[in-house]
Amino acid sequence: MKRAIQLLTKSKVADRCLTPEQRIVAAWPLSVSPVIARHTLAATVADGVLIVEVEDKLWQRQLEKFRHQIVAAIHKTTGGDQPKEIKFRLRAQRLGPMREEKPVRDAAPADEADAIADPFLGRIYKANRKRATG
């Protein structure tokens, strides 16, 4: 993946395929350490400002201190003068998969056909079951 990013940031073909903003976002993992790259996500570039999402306030405060060094590293990686500035914002918390809550019934029905809400369909089910079992 690292080699692909290097090609995207340095290649002449990439100049025709990617906008300067997309090149900056692609250069993010190369411009910072692997540890920082795992805890951040370069989201977008708007008006020369790179928006980077971070995991929590601690990462945000620490990266604020190194803002100018990171900008210089991005310039070196991309060979350009963008971005002018970096803003770090907290990443929105994403919820993982959740199980559906099923309503708790008072007691299990004595007959599974009693669990059928429609009485007409319940009678048809019982009649077919009786015919099938003999």
Side-chain angles (χ1 to χ4, degrees):
M1 185 68 175
K2 189 173 183 177
R3 290 178 66 173
I5 294 169
Q6 287 172 331
L7 286 173
L8 286 175
T9 57
K10 301 271 185 193
S11 170
K12 299 253 188 253
V13 175
D15 289 340
R16 294 187 301 246
C17 299
L18 299 174
T19 65
E21 291 81 12
Q22 290 171 326
R23 288 174 55 126
I24 292 168
V25 170
W28 175 256
L30 290 176
S31 303
V32 297
S33 73
V35 175
I36 292 173
R38 278 195 305 268
H39 294 279
T40 60
L41 174 68
T44 187
V45 179
D47 298 325
V49 177
L50 174 61
I51 306 296
V52 177
E53 295 180 347
V54 297
E55 283 185 356
D56 55 34
K57 286 191 176 280
L58 181 63
W59 276 101
Q60 185 178 23
R61 277 181 286 182
Q62 292 298 319
L63 290 173
E64 289 286 340
K65 296 175 186 176
F66 299 104
R67 172 184 296 164
H68 300 294
Q69 290 91 336
I70 294 171
V71 169
I74 294 171
H75 291 176
K76 182 178 176 185
T77 304
T78 61
D81 62 348
Q82 289 287 331
K84 302 285 187 210
E85 185 181 342
I86 297 179
K87 288 192 178 179
F88 298 100
R89 69 177 182 199
L90 293 177
R91 185 181 303 169
Q93 295 295 326
R94 292 178 178 91
L95 297 176
M98 300 175 77
R99 293 181 182 229
E100 176 185 12
E101 291 185 27
K102 297 186 180 191
V104 178
R105 296 194 173 161
D106 294 339
D111 185 4
E112 63 183 9
D114 293 338
I116 299 174
D118 187 317
F120 179 71
L121 292 176
R123 284 194 301 272
I124 291 174
Y125 177 80
K126 285 179 182 180
N128 285 331
R129 183 181 60 197
K130 186 176 182 181
R131 203 173 317 133
T133 58

